C-alpha cells in the first residue's frame, strides 16, 4: 500500500484509510446501515442549511419556508439545471473542483469535499476486490477523458503511481489493439478496466486473432453492460466481468459481485432513492456542494432497492439495474 500512501500524501486525502473502512463494512447489519444513513442525512441537511445560502435560496424558490420541521421527503429533487453557477459551493470545504462529462447537456462544474475525493478510488478498489484485485495492481485502462487526462503531467505521475497503463478509447484500431496485447503480455498485466464498448473492442480483437490471455478479471464502467463482453471475457481470458456503476456527481459507486444479481451500493457515501424509475442520489460526504436528492439522469427499471443480503454474503443494499439515461436519444 506504499503507492497508495504516496498518492494520499500528494493529494492530501485518505483513500487508504477509507478503503480499509469500506472493506470492513461489507457485512454490517441492515438496521445499522439504515441508522447510519438517517443520521448522515440529518447532519448533511443541517450543515447546508447553516452554511450554504445558495441551497437555502433554492429551497425557498421551491416553496420551502419552515426549515425547523423540514422532512426529507419534502425536499425538492435537484437537477443539473438547478446547480448552475458557483453560488452553491461551500468554498471552505471544497477540496477539488470537478465536472460532469456533459453527454446529456452542458457540463456541470461542482466541488468535492475531502472525504469525497478519498472515497472515490477506495470504492473502486472495493469493487476490484470481488475478483481479488488489490489497490494499485497493474491494469490496462481503456478510457476517455472522464477516467483520465493524458495531457497533464500530474496525471501521468498519478497513472504511474497507480500502475495504470492507459489506452485511449478513441483510437482502437488494430495496430493499437495489437500493441495493447503485446504490452499486457510483456508486463504480465492481468486486469482490464474501461468503458464497456471499448473493452468489447479489445476482446473482439482477441477473439478475431485467436488470442487466449488468462486474466484475473475485467471491469466495465460508464456505459450499459453488453452481454458479449462477458461471453468474450470467458472465452478469451477465462475470467469474469464485473460491471461498475458510478456517478461522482451524486457520490455513488455501485458494483456487481460474482452473483451478478444487482449492484452493491457503497452506502457509506451514497443514499439512493428510486422515484418513478429515476435514480435519485444524495452524497452523504459532500459538505462543499449540495447533491441532496439529486437527479443524476440515470434510470432503472426497478421501483426500489434490494434490501436483503446477497447470496455472496454482502449486506450492502443493491440497485437492481441501470437501464439507461433520462435523455437518451437515437438518431
Amino acid at each position: 500500500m506504499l503507492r497508495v500512501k504516496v498518492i494520499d500524501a500528494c493529494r492530501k486525502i485518505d483513500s487508504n484509510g477509507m478503503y480499509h473502512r469500506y472493506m470492513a463494512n461489507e457485512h454490517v447489519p441492515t438496521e445499522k446501515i439504515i441508522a447510519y444513513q438517517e443520521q448522515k442525512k440529518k447532519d448533511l441537511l443541517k450543515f447546508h442549511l447553516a452554511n450554504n445560502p445558495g441551497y437555502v435560496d433554492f429551497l425557498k424558490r421551491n416553496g420551502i419556508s419552515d426549515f425547523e420541521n423540514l422532512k426529507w421527503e419534502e425536499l425538492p429533487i435537484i437537477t443539473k439545471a438547478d446547480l448552475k453557477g458557483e453560488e452553491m459551493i461551500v468554498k471552505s470545504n471544497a477540496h477539488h473542483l470537478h465536472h460532469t462529462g456533459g453527454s446529456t447537456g452542458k457540463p456541470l462544474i461542482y466541488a468535492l469535499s475531502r472525504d469525497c475525493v478519498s472515497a472515490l478510488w477506495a470504492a473502486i478498489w472495493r469493487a476490484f476486490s470481488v475478483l481479488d484485485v488489490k489497490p494499485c495492481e497493474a491494469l490496462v485502462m481503456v478510457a476517455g477523458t472522464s477516467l483520465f487526462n493524458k495531457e497533464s503531467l500530474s496525471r501521468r505521475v498519478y497513472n504511474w503511481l497507480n500502475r495504470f497503463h492507459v489506452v485511449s478509447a478513441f483510437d482502437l484500431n488494430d495496430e493499437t489493439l495489437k500493441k495493447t496485447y503485446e504490452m499486457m503480455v510483456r508486463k504480465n498485466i492481468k486486469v482490464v478496466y474501461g468503458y464497456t464498448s471499448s473493452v468489447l473492442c479489445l476482446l473482439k480483437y482477441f477473439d478475431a486473432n485467436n488470442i487466449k490471455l488468462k486474466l484475473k478479471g475485467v471491469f466495465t464502467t460508464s456505459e450499459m453492460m453488453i452481454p458479449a463482453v462477458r461471453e468474450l471475457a470467458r472465452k478469451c481470458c477465462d475470467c469474469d466481468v464485473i460491471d461498475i456503476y458510478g456517478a461522482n456527481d451524486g457520490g455513488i459507486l455501485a458494483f456487481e459481485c460474482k452473483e451478478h444479481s444487482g449492484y452493491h451500493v457503497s452506502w457509506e457515501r451514497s443514499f439512493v432513492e428510486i422515484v418513478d424509475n429515476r435514480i435519485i442520489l444524495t452524497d452523504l460526504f459532500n459538505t462543499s456542494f449540495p447533491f441532496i436528492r439529486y437527479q443524476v439522469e440515470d434510470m432503472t427499471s426497478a421501483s426500489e432497492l434490494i434490501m436483503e443480503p446477497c447470496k455472496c454474503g454482502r449486506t450492502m443494499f443493491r440497485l437492481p439495474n441501470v437501464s439507461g439515461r433520462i435523455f437518451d436519444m437515437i438518431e
Side-chain angles (χ1 to χ4, degrees):
M1 300 294 283
L2 178 59
R3 288 174 178 261
V4 178
K5 291 179 180 179
V6 171
I7 294 168
D8 282 355
C10 292
R11 303 186 73 194
K12 298 179 182 179
I13 59 175
D14 186 25
S15 58
N16 181 50
M18 191 74 73
Y19 168 69
H20 287 291
R21 288 193 292 275
Y22 271 14
M23 292 303 294
N25 285 343
E26 293 195 314
H27 303 91
V28 172
T30 299
E31 60 271 17
K32 289 190 175 181
I33 296 176
I34 293 173
Y36 165 89
Q37 291 195 324
E38 288 300 311
Q39 187 60 53
K40 291 290 285 186
K41 286 158 54 185
K42 290 178 183 178
D43 293 345
L44 181 73
L45 181 58
K46 182 179 179 180
F47 176 87
H48 280 285
L49 289 176
N51 298 281
N52 196 330
Y55 183 64
V56 172
D57 286 345
F58 163 75
L59 293 180
K60 289 179 178 178
R61 290 196 303 272
N62 282 271
I64 304 294
S65 57
D66 183 4
F67 299 119
E68 293 296 324
N69 301 298
L70 186 57
K71 296 179 180 179
W72 185 263
E73 59 272 16
E74 295 172 344
L75 291 172
I77 290 172
I78 199 165
T79 68
K80 282 184 182 180
D82 301 313
L83 293 168
K84 291 178 180 177
E86 297 184 8
E87 66 274 6
M88 288 194 184
I89 296 178
V90 181
K91 294 182 179 179
S92 60
N93 282 13
H95 190 81
H96 181 68
L97 289 179
H98 203 65
H99 61 84
T100 62
S103 61
T104 55
K106 293 182 179 180
L108 166 68
I109 306 299
Y110 62 92
L112 296 173
S113 52
R114 181 177 180 270
D115 280 351
C116 297
V117 182
S118 298
L120 176 58
W121 270 97
I124 295 174
W125 290 330
R126 173 156 67 180
F128 285 178
S129 74
V130 172
L131 298 181
D132 197 31
V133 176
K134 308 299 182 186
C136 293
E137 185 166 339
L139 60 84
V140 163
M141 180 184 286
V142 191
T145 52
S146 70
L147 290 184
F148 81 100
N149 178 357
K150 67 179 180 181
E151 302 301 326
S152 164
L153 175 61
S154 61
R155 176 58 63 176
R156 291 198 294 268
V157 173
Y158 181 75
N159 288 343
W160 178 80
L161 285 170
N162 276 288
R163 300 178 75 192
F164 296 156
H165 299 271
V166 180
V167 177
S168 173
F170 308 121
D171 189 28
L172 294 178
N173 53 45
D174 280 358
E175 182 180 357
T176 298
L177 295 169
K178 180 175 183 289
K179 288 180 179 178
T180 300
Y181 163 65
E182 291 172 345
M183 180 264 290
M184 292 178 69
V185 172
R186 186 170 65 253
K187 295 182 178 291
N188 195 32
I189 294 174
K190 300 295 185 184
V191 183
V192 173
Y193 172 53
Y195 295 166
T196 307
S197 58
S198 303
V199 171
L200 179 60
C201 287
L202 178 63
L203 294 174
K204 280 185 173 180
Y205 175 81
F206 288 177
D207 190 41
N209 291 275
N210 198 31
I211 292 172
K212 304 294 182 183
L213 182 64
K214 186 173 179 59
L215 302 179
K216 290 181 71 172
V218 171
F219 299 86
T220 53
T221 191
S222 295
E223 299 164 343
M224 290 180 64
M225 169 52 65
I226 303 169
V229 174
R230 226 182 288 278
E231 296 166 9
L232 289 174
R234 293 190 180 114
K235 178 181 178 182
C236 301
C237 304
D238 191 27
C239 72
D240 200 354
V241 177
I242 298 299
D243 194 40
I244 298 173
Y245 167 59
N248 214 17
D249 56 322
I252 190 172
L253 196 292
F255 59 92
E256 292 183 304
C257 66
K258 293 178 182 179
E259 297 293 331
H260 301 292
S261 59
Y263 293 77
H264 295 273
V265 176
S266 290
W267 53 268
E268 300 89 343
R269 180 182 175 189
S270 183
F271 176 71
V272 182
E273 300 172 82
I274 299 174
V275 179
D276 298 327
N277 300 110
R278 297 172 295 166
I279 298 173
I280 307 300
L281 303 175
T282 297
D283 188 341
L284 299 172
F285 284 176
N286 202 339
T287 54
S288 63
F289 205 74
F291 286 120
I292 299 173
R293 303 201 80 200
Y294 171 61
Q295 181 176 294
V296 74
E297 296 179 350
D298 291 323
M299 301 284 289
T300 175
S301 64
S303 59
E304 59 186 16
L305 295 178
I306 302 170
M307 306 292 282
E308 61 266 19
C310 179
K311 290 181 181 179
C312 73
R314 292 176 178 85
T315 55
M316 303 162 69
F317 303 154
R318 282 171 287 154
L319 185 64
N321 60 65
V322 181
S323 58
R325 308 300 300 272
I326 289 175
F327 299 115
D328 268 352
M329 287 178 282
I330 297 174
E331 182 177 340

